[in-house]
């Protein structure tokens, strides 16, 4: 009799867990290693901006207006990591580097499905663009074709965000 009672209690506990898994709160922490392993500026920009759009959109859906401190700390670590990784690719002229980032942003601009995600992507894009500036270089230094491609990339990405 005691064995049947123990099995019944165990069965009740197992069934009470439910079928649906609890939703996992959004976080950037699990994605930092992917950003750190990016082999090129283009892949880094695409990965970082897509992560930003997805996680920020998910956070807005999950938390609403009020983001918890743990999420904000996770986002700050992510942004610091992205900026540190971008600095590794800071070779050449900043207009050419920014062109790569803006073209990459245009490719992944659709990954954010709400306004919070789009705003977060826009903020990270501005941060990446600022990190790529090289003091002493002028925007008019590269050839016209490079400057035109840069302007087209900016127009394309800001038309989507």
């Amino acid at each position: 009799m005691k064995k049947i009672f123990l099995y019944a209690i165990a069965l009740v506990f197992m069934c009470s867990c439910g079928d649906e898994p609890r939703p996992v709160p959004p976080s950037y922490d699990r994605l930092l290693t992917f950003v750190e392993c990016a082999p090129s500026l283009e892949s880094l920009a695409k990965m970082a901006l897509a992560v930003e759009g997805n996680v920020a959109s998910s956070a807005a859906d999950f938390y609403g207006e009020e983001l918890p401190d743990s999420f904000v700390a996770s986002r700050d670590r992510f942004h610091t990591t992205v900026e540190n990784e971008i600095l590794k690719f800071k070779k050449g002229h900043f207009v050419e580097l920014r062109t790569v980032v803006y073209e990459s942003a245009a490719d992944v601009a659709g990954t954010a499905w709400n306004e919070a995600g789009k705003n977060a992507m826009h903020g990270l894009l501005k941060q990446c663009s600022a990190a790529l500036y090289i003091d002493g270089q002028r925007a008019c230094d590269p050839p016209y074709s490079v400057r035109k491609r840069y302007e087209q990339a900016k127009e394309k990405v800001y038309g989507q965000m």
Side-chain angles (χ1 to χ4, degrees):
M1 183 75 164
K2 287 183 179 180
K3 287 184 179 182
I4 293 175
F5 183 67
L6 290 175
Y7 289 130
I9 289 176
L11 184 61
V12 168
F13 280 125
M14 288 189 324
C15 292
S16 68
C17 293
D19 295 343
E20 294 185 32
R22 287 183 29 194
V24 176
S27 173
Y28 293 91
D29 291 337
R30 296 180 297 271
L31 304 166
L32 286 176
T33 55
F34 294 110
V35 171
E36 294 170 335
C37 297
S40 67
L41 179 59
E42 180 182 11
S43 63
L44 172 63
K46 284 182 180 181
M47 197 176 322
L49 291 166
V51 165
E52 181 71 11
N54 280 306
V55 175
S57 294
S58 296
D61 290 347
F62 190 83
Y63 296 118
E65 297 270 333
E66 196 68 31
L67 298 174
D69 291 339
S70 61
F71 178 80
V72 173
S74 169
R75 182 182 61 203
D76 291 344
R77 282 189 299 276
F78 178 75
H79 284 200
T80 301
T81 302
V82 168
E83 190 165 336
N84 290 339
E85 291 299 314
I86 275 200
L87 294 177
K88 293 178 182 177
F89 299 104
K90 196 173 175 179
K91 295 175 182 77
H93 198 280
F94 78 90
V95 171
E96 294 169 327
L97 299 172
R98 285 180 176 176
T99 301
V100 171
V101 171
Y102 282 112
E103 287 174 344
S104 300
D107 290 344
V108 297
T111 59
W113 59 84
N114 59 29
E115 201 60 37
K118 290 177 184 177
N119 290 338
M121 284 179 77
H122 184 344
L124 182 60
L125 179 61
K126 286 175 67 173
Q127 182 181 348
C128 293
S129 181
L132 289 172
Y133 177 74
I134 299 171
D135 197 29
Q137 292 183 347
R138 300 177 305 173
C140 62
D141 287 344
Y144 175 75
S145 61
V146 173
R147 294 190 319 262
K148 183 158 180 65
R149 187 172 150 216
Y150 173 61
E151 291 301 322
Q152 289 172 340
K154 281 176 53 175
E155 288 173 10
K156 184 176 180 182
V157 75
Y158 287 126
Q160 294 177 358
M161 286 185 172

